[in-house]
Amino acid sequence: MSAFLTPTLENLTPYTPGDIPRKRSILKLNTNENPYPPPTAVVEAIRAASEDLQLYPDPNCLALRKAAADYYDLDPDQILAGNGSDENLFFALRAFCDSERPLAHADVTYGCYSVWCDLMHIPQHIIPLEKDLTLDPARYHGLNETIVIANPNAPTGLALPPEAIGEIAASNPHHVVIVDEAYVDFGAESCVPLLQEYKNLLVVQTFSKSRQMAGARLGFALGSKELIADLERVRNSMNPYNVNRMTQAAGIASLQCEGYFRETCRQVIETREWTAQELIRRGFTVTDSKANFLYVRTKKMLSRVLFRALRQRAVLVRYFDAPRTEHWLRITVGTKEQMEVLLQKLDNILKED
C-alpha cells in the first residue's frame, strides 16, 4: 500500500479470484469455467473481427443487442451488454444504491457484492441463509431496499423458482430487485419471462459459464427500458467502449449456436449428477446444485485439510475460510474424465488419512 492511497480505501478488502495456474497438468476445478471449448463459429467470428483492431468497437453494441433481443424475445432497448456480468452488476449497484440506499443480499453468496458495496460506500443489509443454506424469500418481502439475489446461488448451487423471485419484486415495488443468473442454464429456471410483469426486476446473465466465453468477458443486463437507460447512463459515464469488437462478434455467433449450447449444458448437468452420486456414495454431503459446480463436505476430514491435500496432488478446488463456509468445498464440474481423476485423488487422500 502506497502513501498515496485515499484513506477511504485503506480498509478495503478486494475480491480474491480462484488461482489461475500456468501448468496445464493441474486439474483446475476452482473457477467454474466450462470444460468444453466454444463452438468453431465463435472462434471464426473472433478471428474475423480481429482484422479491424485499429478501430473502436460499436459503443452501443447494436448488432449484438439485436441478436440478444431476438434470442430473449425482448426489445434491444431492454438489453445492456457488459464486460462480463460483473460489470453489469457493478453498474446496477452504482445506479440503484448509494449511501442512503443500502443493498440487501445473503450472507453466503457471491463475494463481489460486499466488495463493491465497500468500494462505493453503500450500506449493506446482510440476510443470513437458513441453517440448510437455503434462501427464505419471505425475509426479502417488503424490505424497501435494493436487493440482489444470485439464483442459483454461489457457492451453494441452490436455486429459487421464478415465482418466488416475482413475489420479492412485487413486495418491493419502489426498489430494484437484481437477479444474478450466472449459472441458470445448468438446471434452474430463468426470471427473464417475468420482466414484462415486474418493471423493477433486473436479470443479469453471463457468457462465461454455459457459453464457454469466460476469456472473452461478455454479459447482459435485461430489464425494462427505463432500468436499462439508467444503466446506460452509468456505462457512458464510466466505460463507453466497454465490450470490444471481437467479443461482440463472438457473442452474436454464440447466440446462433443453440444446438451446441444445449448439448454442452446437458453434458455438464449429466456429469454433475453422476459426480454428486459418486461423492454421496463415499459419504459426502452434497447440496442440490443447479449450477456447474458442486458444494460438498465430509466428516472424514476438515475441508481446509482436504483442500490442501488436493492442491498437493495438482487438483484445485475452492475453499472459503469463513464461519459459515469453512466446512465446505466448491468443486467445478469438468468433463467426466476430469471428475474421475478428482474421485481417484479423493479416494487416495481419504485412504491415507
Side-chain angles (χ1 to χ4, degrees):
M1 185 183 302
S2 77
F4 306 101
L5 182 68
T6 175
T8 59
L9 296 183
E10 287 181 355
N11 295 320
L12 179 68
T13 302
Y15 176 76
T16 304
D19 291 343
I20 307 294
R22 295 184 178 180
K23 295 181 180 178
R24 288 192 174 270
S25 58
I26 293 176
L27 180 53
K28 189 173 181 295
L29 302 176
N30 64 333
T31 50
N32 301 339
E33 294 149 321
N34 200 302
Y36 302 104
T40 302
V42 169
V43 178
E44 291 175 349
I46 291 172
R47 185 177 295 114
S50 69
E51 296 177 0
D52 295 315
L53 285 184
Q54 77 276 17
L55 304 176
Y56 281 110
D58 174 13
N60 297 312
C61 301
L62 187 57
L64 174 59
R65 286 169 46 231
K66 285 182 176 179
D70 290 340
Y71 183 85
Y72 291 106
D73 194 23
L74 297 171
D75 188 281
D77 289 340
Q78 291 183 269
I79 299 171
L80 175 80
N83 193 290
S85 60
D86 280 351
E87 184 177 56
N88 290 330
L89 289 163
F90 183 88
F91 288 164
L93 266 61
R94 185 66 186 87
F96 307 123
C97 300
D98 57 27
S99 61
E100 303 298 324
R101 299 190 205 182
L103 179 73
H105 62 83
D107 63 332
V108 179
T109 192
Y110 185 32
C112 273
Y113 305 150
S114 183
V115 172
W116 292 327
C117 284
D118 289 342
L119 180 63
M120 293 185 278
H121 313 295
I122 297 169
Q124 300 177 64
H125 179 186
I126 299 175
I127 303 173
L129 297 179
E130 304 305 297
K131 289 184 178 180
D132 61 358
L133 299 180
T134 59
L135 185 148
D136 181 2
R139 289 177 175 248
Y140 292 79
H141 288 178
L143 288 183
N144 295 314
E145 297 170 342
T146 303
I147 296 168
V148 63
I149 296 174
N151 196 51
N153 194 19
T156 67
L158 301 177
L160 291 173
E163 53 266 28
I165 300 292
E167 291 173 359
I168 293 172
S171 70
N172 295 277
H174 303 298
H175 291 78
V176 176
V177 176
I178 307 162
V179 187
D180 182 354
E181 292 189 343
Y183 304 100
V184 73
D185 296 318
F186 298 108
E189 292 183 70
S190 176
C191 291
V192 171
L194 301 180
L195 292 178
Q196 303 306 331
E197 184 176 357
Y198 302 105
K199 300 304 181 184
N200 62 326
L201 188 63
L202 186 74
V203 176
V204 178
Q205 293 192 359
T206 180
F207 278 39
S208 294
K209 315 301 181 183
S210 58
R211 291 190 178 272
Q212 305 97 12
M213 285 174 50
R217 312 305 301 133
L218 177 63
F220 289 128
L222 315 167
S224 69
K225 294 180 181 182
E226 293 78 11
L227 289 185
I228 298 304
D230 293 339
L231 297 182
E232 287 283 12
R233 177 186 291 263
V234 175
R235 181 186 70 84
N236 283 316
S237 301
M238 294 181 64
N239 191 12
Y241 295 105
N242 61 324
V243 182
N244 71 68
R245 63 188 315 115
M246 293 180 291
T247 294
Q248 290 186 38
I252 294 170
S254 178
L255 289 168
Q256 296 169 347
C257 295
E258 185 69 6
Y260 185 86
F261 162 68
R262 295 293 175 189
E263 175 57 22
T264 52
C265 284
R266 185 197 65 78
Q267 291 183 45
V268 170
I269 293 170
E270 185 177 281
T271 303
R272 180 190 70 207
E273 297 307 301
W274 176 82
T275 307
Q277 290 305 310
E278 288 296 315
L279 289 167
I280 291 170
R281 190 167 65 82
R282 288 164 169 79
F284 280 77
T285 297
V286 183
T287 64
D288 183 21
S289 175
K290 300 300 181 186
N292 68 334
F293 57 82
L294 292 165
Y295 202 47
V296 310
R297 64 184 295 181
T298 178
K299 294 181 179 179
K300 298 179 181 179
M301 182 177 288
L302 293 173
S303 290
R304 63 175 177 271
V305 176
L306 185 54
F307 165 77
R308 289 195 294 264
L310 284 169
R311 188 182 183 89
Q312 291 170 357
R313 291 161 177 79
V315 178
L316 297 182
V317 298
R318 200 74 196 270
Y319 173 68
F320 300 97
D321 189 8
R324 295 201 68 187
T325 58
E326 63 181 347
H327 300 299
W328 298 83
L329 294 176
R330 193 195 70 192
I331 303 172
T332 301
V333 176
T335 63
K336 188 173 183 182
E337 292 74 19
Q338 289 174 324
M339 305 316 283
E340 287 173 342
V341 172
L342 167 73
L343 292 168
Q344 182 183 40
K345 301 285 188 181
L346 287 172
D347 288 341
N348 292 338
I349 292 168
L350 296 175
K351 183 186 297 184
E352 294 171 6
D353 183 52

